[in-house]
Amino acid sequence: MAYQLTKDLETGNALIDREHRELIDAINALLDSCSKGQGRNELEKTAKFLQSYTSKHFSDEEQLQRQNNYPDYVQHKKYHEAFKKTVADIVARLSVNGPTIALVGEINTALAGWLINHIKKEDKKLAAYLSTR
């Protein structure tokens, strides 16, 4: 099942939405590879991309929060740190165990699911706050 940045996931902030689209596209590329029996081959590329790009994306979001005195900055940053740790754990297990079906599934459920929920709850709240600034 491919993920899409539907209207209910758009924040209205061009930078945040563009970066969310990049993250979703990377997950979808992995899922597409899985449907063709090539998931294990794409896993390392996707995991490393997610690791580097989430750091960039979260840094961009956190900068917006600091610049605009976002009142929930500390909690939002904690969510980001937990997600980065999850991605780092996946990358570490990938380097030890190699690409496995379990890791493919974890990216699909743990990472994609987390990202969608985070956008719907936290990033929408952030975007609503930013639109008043």
Side-chain angles (χ1 to χ4, degrees):
M1 173 189 110
Y3 296 95
Q4 295 190 13
L5 192 66
T6 55
K7 287 286 181 200
D8 66 317
L9 294 176
E10 289 180 356
T11 66
N13 181 288
L15 172 67
I16 292 172
D17 287 342
R18 185 179 73 246
E19 291 182 354
H20 286 165
R21 195 168 285 107
E22 290 287 327
L23 291 167
I24 289 170
D25 286 349
I27 292 167
N28 284 338
L30 176 62
L31 295 176
D32 184 53
S33 294
C34 289
S35 73
K36 297 173 184 169
Q38 299 296 315
R40 290 183 189 188
N41 296 338
E42 285 295 311
L43 183 58
E44 184 173 0
K45 175 182 159 189
T46 301
K48 288 187 177 191
F49 172 81
L50 289 172
Q51 187 173 35
S52 66
Y53 201 79
T54 53
S55 289
K56 177 207 179 322
H57 170 62
F58 291 159
S59 177
D60 290 345
E61 269 190 14
E62 290 164 11
Q63 182 179 4
L64 282 171
Q65 291 174 39
R66 288 188 308 274
Q67 289 171 341
N68 290 280
N69 298 312
Y70 184 54
D72 204 23
Y73 168 74
V74 172
Q75 186 60 44
H76 201 117
K77 184 170 177 57
K78 285 180 185 177
Y79 294 134
H80 288 171
E81 294 304 317
F83 185 78
K84 287 193 293 189
K85 182 181 180 325
T86 300
V87 175
D89 289 346
I90 289 172
V91 169
R93 283 186 284 141
L94 178 62
S95 80
V96 170
N97 302 322
T100 65
I101 298 298
L103 284 179
V104 171
E106 197 167 334
I107 286 180
N108 185 30
T109 56
L111 300 189
W114 184 96
L115 182 62
I116 299 299
N117 286 329
H118 182 76
I119 292 169
K120 284 182 177 178
K121 294 177 183 173
E122 299 304 321
D123 288 347
K124 295 281 278 192
K125 188 168 56 172
L126 167 61
Y129 176 82
L130 292 175
S131 72
T132 68
R133 305 298 287 175

